[in-house]
Amino acid sequence: MLTLYERMRRDHGPVVPVAIAPGIEAWLVLGHRELLHLTRDEQYFSHDPRRWTPLRDGRVPPDSPLIPLVGWRPALLFADGQQHRRMRSAVAEALGRLDGHELIRMVRSAAERLIAGFADRYEADLVPQYARLLPLQVVTQILGLDEERGPRLVEAIAAIVNPTAAATGANRRMGGILLELIEQKKRQPGADLTSWLLEHPVGLSDQEVLHNLVVIIVAGNQTTVNWIADTVRILLTDPGFRSSLARGHLTVDDALDLVLWRHPPTANFPGRYATRDLRFGGQHIRAGDMLILGLAGANADPEVLPEDGRPVIGNRSHLAFGAGPHTCPARDPARLITRTAVDTLRHRLPDLELAVPEDQLAWITSPWSKNLAGLPVRFTAPQLAADAAAATHSADSGDLR
């Protein structure tokens, strides 16, 4: 992929013309400096997809796979200016009320249950059996869902992010479950994200709460899945990194940051929409054009990397979480969830190893991301849950940011 980005950069510069569907063109922003400009300037680059010319002209059919990505919702992801600041303040403050130590315990408990489910087989596929399930199980608890609605939401989200013939109506089912939850929390608020959004002084409407919850769930789920899976993959396939981790020279956070630099969970993210004609990155951009955040390409921009092209350990100036006013507000809890998931796995299965050669790992690719389809592993000596809990106890006193 880096070779492709290098060729694009050589042929077009930091802003590249691309086709994202038959007859539908956009601009992919690969320059680190240009991407920072794009994300910080709301005067020239809007987040509102209703400005997008192909959508206004009816050239994007209702059943296009682009619609779930660019269909407008009354949520912070699709708002600018004061309206965005209003919704973001509610979402960011609600996320900020999550107790870090409680979240660690929640993640560890879910991780222990999942590991116990395959530990006696001495083999597993960590994508479908661990990385794909763990974030969903945690988010249902964060939202305040009960034991009846939680599994229903997990099932609906799984159908949405991994479409199959059985996925018809999954988005509607998810909306129905969340509306039921909102009504319940209005009557019986609790210490959960839904209640905190409802009671925030900016006064979000029920529809705004609903659609901001949808954005948090759907946008955050697959990225966390990818982050967990890729971090474990690096620990299993990079002997030097694994050895340095074992000796205490590096930390799991260093592995997390390496993934964010080299393999950001979302490689390309739509989008921004030009509010007027302008010259940008050496290209003529027209009002209504879509610009895509090339997060992976910007992280690989030679202008921000050392001469050897390798990210510096401990450097968090990557753009995996975006930048500017729309920087991901869930980056801190996402890091805590991922770190705890990886740590628990390492301590429960200390002799974990890849069950196939690295070049045989299967990937799912799209214009937006490159996801591991599976991560088959084997192990011989799973620790008892009590031992693993003691081994990971130090995480409780670690950096919760």
Side-chain angles (χ1 to χ4, degrees), residues 2-330:
L2 292 183
T3 301
L4 173 61
Y5 289 140
E6 290 168 357
R7 187 166 66 249
M8 286 180 167
R9 216 184 304 272
R10 179 198 65 203
D11 294 344
H12 301 283
V15 178
V16 180
V18 294
I20 57 175
I24 306 296
E25 297 179 342
W27 301 97
L28 178 63
V29 181
L30 298 179
H32 192 278
R33 179 177 55 189
E34 287 76 14
L35 197 144
L36 286 177
H37 183 178
L38 178 73
T39 55
R40 291 170 176 171
D41 189 341
E42 291 183 309
Q43 180 180 1
Y44 290 94
F45 304 108
S46 170
H47 230 80
D48 191 335
R50 293 172 295 185
R51 293 177 177 269
W52 189 29
T53 299
L55 199 61
R56 292 203 320 267
D57 291 349
R59 290 191 281 125
V60 184
D63 60 350
S64 168
L66 294 172
I67 293 298
L69 296 169
V70 301
W72 181 84
R73 292 176 181 269
L76 78 170
L77 189 60
F78 306 104
D80 298 313
Q82 179 57 37
Q83 183 67 352
H84 170 257
R85 288 190 291 274
R86 170 179 165 270
M87 287 190 281
R88 184 182 174 91
S89 68
V91 171
E93 289 172 27
L95 288 167
R97 292 179 67 175
L98 292 171
D99 180 270
H101 296 293
E102 179 60 30
L103 185 55
I104 287 174
R105 286 189 286 272
M106 193 183 298
V107 176
R108 185 180 300 145
S109 177
E112 292 285 357
R113 290 193 301 270
L114 292 173
I115 294 169
F118 56 72
D120 60 354
R121 294 194 292 273
Y122 302 102
E123 64 180 13
D125 187 332
L126 293 180
V127 172
Q129 293 179 266
Y130 190 73
R132 197 174 289 158
L133 297 176
L134 181 58
L136 288 176
Q137 294 187 4
V138 172
V139 78
T140 60
Q141 297 180 65
I142 292 173
L143 295 180
L145 282 157
D146 55 33
E147 293 183 0
E148 188 270 328
R149 290 195 186 99
R152 286 169 49 205
L153 183 66
V154 168
E155 180 183 351
I157 297 171
I160 291 169
V161 299
N162 298 289
T164 66
T168 305
N171 191 62
R172 186 169 58 252
R173 292 198 304 275
M174 178 178 66
I177 294 167
L178 292 175
L179 282 174
E180 290 175 5
L181 174 66
I182 288 168
E183 287 302 318
Q184 176 197 346
K185 294 301 178 180
K186 287 165 67 175
R187 297 189 304 269
Q188 299 174 310
D192 54 69
L193 194 64
T194 308
S195 299
W196 295 332
L197 286 175
L198 286 166
E199 68 188 35
H200 194 275
V202 299
L204 297 181
S205 69
D206 289 2
Q207 285 297 307
E208 288 173 330
V209 172
L210 167 66
H211 289 289
N212 278 293
L213 287 177
V214 170
V215 167
I216 292 169
I217 294 167
V218 176
N221 177 69
Q222 188 61 48
T223 54
T224 308
V225 172
N226 293 351
W227 200 5
I228 293 170
D230 262 338
T231 303
V232 175
R233 178 183 63 84
I234 284 181
L235 295 179
L236 295 179
T237 58
D238 189 327
F241 202 102
R242 185 167 184 169
S243 174
S244 296
L245 186 67
R247 295 197 303 267
H249 297 161
L250 296 175
T251 67
V252 170
D253 271 313
D254 293 326
L256 299 183
D257 287 322
L258 187 63
V259 169
L260 294 179
W261 271 107
R262 294 183 179 174
H263 312 284
T266 299
N268 304 304
F269 190 79
R272 298 294 194 276
Y273 307 91
T275 61
R276 65 199 73 183
D277 294 352
L278 73 155
R279 182 85 172 167
F280 180 62
Q283 304 286 4
H284 292 288
I285 311 298
R286 294 188 175 276
D289 281 0
M290 175 193 283
L291 297 101
I292 298 169
L293 281 64
L295 305 175
N299 279 352
D301 189 338
E303 289 192 9
V304 298
L305 291 178
E307 290 185 6
D308 63 4
R310 296 176 61 87
V312 176
I313 296 296
N315 182 347
R316 294 187 181 177
S317 61
H318 55 74
L319 296 173
F321 293 115
H326 283 267
T327 301
C328 175

